[in-house]
């Protein structure tokens, strides 16, 4: 028998509260801090934890692109992380967690990993 864990969703804010190209931090019920980004192509949610500085700062990073790939650049040591995958562009051995995200009735909801 295989155990199936249901995904839980947490409402974090209204979509209209998010500015395109900026991030906000949110705290999930399990204690995870996430960074929510709105870009022209949608919403992205990453761990807010920068593995290089060990600080919860990615929501304050600069959103841009590297070679056409949307990224957020950490405000501390400037490593870039892909918004879609969490992969560090500057160090292939490092990645941050990504989270499912959806819009429900005008609100942004973040799913458990």
């Amino acid at each position: 028998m295989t155990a199936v864990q249901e995904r839980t969703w947490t409402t974090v804010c209204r979509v209209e509260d998010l500015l395109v190209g900026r991030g906000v931090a949110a705290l999930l019920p399990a204690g995870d801090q996430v960074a929510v980004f709105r870009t022209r192509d949608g919403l992205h949610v990453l761990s807010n934890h920068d593995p290089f500085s060990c600080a919860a700062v990615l929501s304050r990073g600069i959103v841009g692109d590297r070679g056409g790939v949307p990224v957020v650049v950490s405000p501390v040591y400037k490593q870039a992380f892909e918004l879609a995958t969490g992969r560090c562009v500057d160090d292939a051995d490092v990645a941050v967690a990504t989270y499912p995200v959806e819009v429900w009735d005008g609100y942004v909801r973040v799913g458990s990993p």
Side-chain angles (χ1 to χ4, degrees), residues 88-112:
C88 179
V89 175
D90 303 305
D91 185 337
D93 294 331
V94 178
V96 296
T98 60
Y99 295 77
V101 61
E102 69 177 15
V103 176
W104 178 265
D105 200 21
Y107 287 85
V108 176
R109 297 186 346 154
V110 178
S112 56

Side-chain angles (χ1 to χ4, degrees), residues 25-83:
L27 181 63
L28 301 182
D32 296 349
Q33 292 186 38
V34 295
V36 182
F37 298 95
R38 182 177 178 189
T39 64
R40 294 190 199 304
D41 61 342
L43 298 170
H44 305 277
V45 180
L46 306 176
S47 170
N48 197 31
H49 178 83
D50 175 359
F52 295 97
S53 67
C54 296
V57 295
L58 291 183
S59 62
R60 297 181 176 188
I62 297 171
V63 175
D65 75 85
R66 289 257 180 106
V69 177
V71 297
V72 59
V73 177
S74 172
V76 181
Y77 296 128
K78 313 302 183 210
Q79 283 86 6
F81 298 89
E82 289 184 9
L83 290 176

